[in-house]
Amino acid sequence: MKGAYKQFDQKLFNQNDPKSRAVVKQYLANNGIEVNDNANKYGVDLVSENGEVKIEVERRLVWKSERFPFSEINLPERKAKFFKENNVSYAIVSENYKRIGIINGKTIQKYITDSNLKENPNKFVNSGELFYKLPKKEFKWVSV
């Protein structure tokens, strides 16, 4: 199944990606895990030197308080390609960069199913964009 995709927007990328990645890198470094920006700009965002740790990062502008405001996290269908490997995790960062939610790749894989793919209209794509629904309870929530 393939839905509509949000077009890449360099301005949005510049506003969100570098600082979100930096926050996740610092949190991981504080916990003994070193990752760097992936040299492959089309690949997963952050990768450890040995390739054992890989993390896709997204900033969530709707997440303005300490607690994530929804019971599910929408994982864009277009990103499913990254989670075919068990070692690719997904990190979401709050609007103010003070909270992170992380889910590991093995857990994500059980939710990457056609029956869990739902349309979710949003401000970037009016209709047709599909998302996998990830339960909030599957994430580890941390303050940074």
Side-chain angles (χ1 to χ4, degrees):
M1 201 173 210
K2 186 175 178 189
Y5 284 2
K6 176 176 94 58
Q7 294 297 312
F8 178 77
D9 182 320
Q10 187 68 49
K11 184 178 176 187
L12 277 177
F13 176 88
N14 293 345
Q15 288 172 346
N16 296 292
D17 233 58
K19 186 160 183 185
S20 297
R21 289 181 189 207
V23 167
V24 173
K25 283 192 274 190
Q26 185 60 57
Y27 167 74
L28 292 171
N30 291 346
N31 288 279
I33 302 167
E34 295 291 328
V35 294
N36 297 298
D37 290 332
N38 190 347
N40 175 0
K41 69 179 186 175
Y42 301 110
V44 173
D45 292 328
L46 303 173
V47 182
S48 65
E49 188 71 35
N50 62 9
E52 288 182 16
V53 178
K54 298 177 183 178
I55 302 175
E56 183 64 15
V57 178
E58 279 193 321
R59 183 176 179 210
R60 296 299 174 103
L61 298 176
V62 298
W63 183 10
K64 298 180 186 300
S65 61
E66 182 171 334
R67 298 191 66 161
F68 188 77
F70 305 104
S71 62
E72 297 175 317
I73 288 78
N74 288 327
L75 174 68
E77 176 202 30
R78 69 182 185 276
K79 294 189 179 249
K81 64 186 178 209
F82 296 140
F83 302 103
K84 291 185 170 139
E85 301 174 52
N86 275 344
N87 67 332
V88 179
S89 296
Y90 183 50
I92 60 171
V93 179
S94 65
E95 186 258 350
N96 65 4
Y97 301 103
K98 295 190 182 296
R99 297 277 291 158
I100 300 172
I102 302 173
I103 184 172
N104 71 49
K106 190 172 185 176
T107 303
I108 291 171
Q109 286 182 340
K110 64 185 175 186
Y111 295 101
I112 306 283
T113 65
D114 286 347
S115 64
N116 190 35
L117 200 54
K118 311 286 185 224
E119 181 179 359
N120 192 43
N122 58 76
K123 69 181 181 180
F124 299 112
V125 179
N126 253 359
S127 67
E129 188 170 20
L130 301 174
F131 296 85
Y132 296 99
K133 303 295 185 172
L134 306 176
K136 179 170 147 175
K137 66 179 171 61
E138 295 282 21
F139 282 71
K140 175 182 178 181
W141 301 97
V142 298
S143 294
V144 290

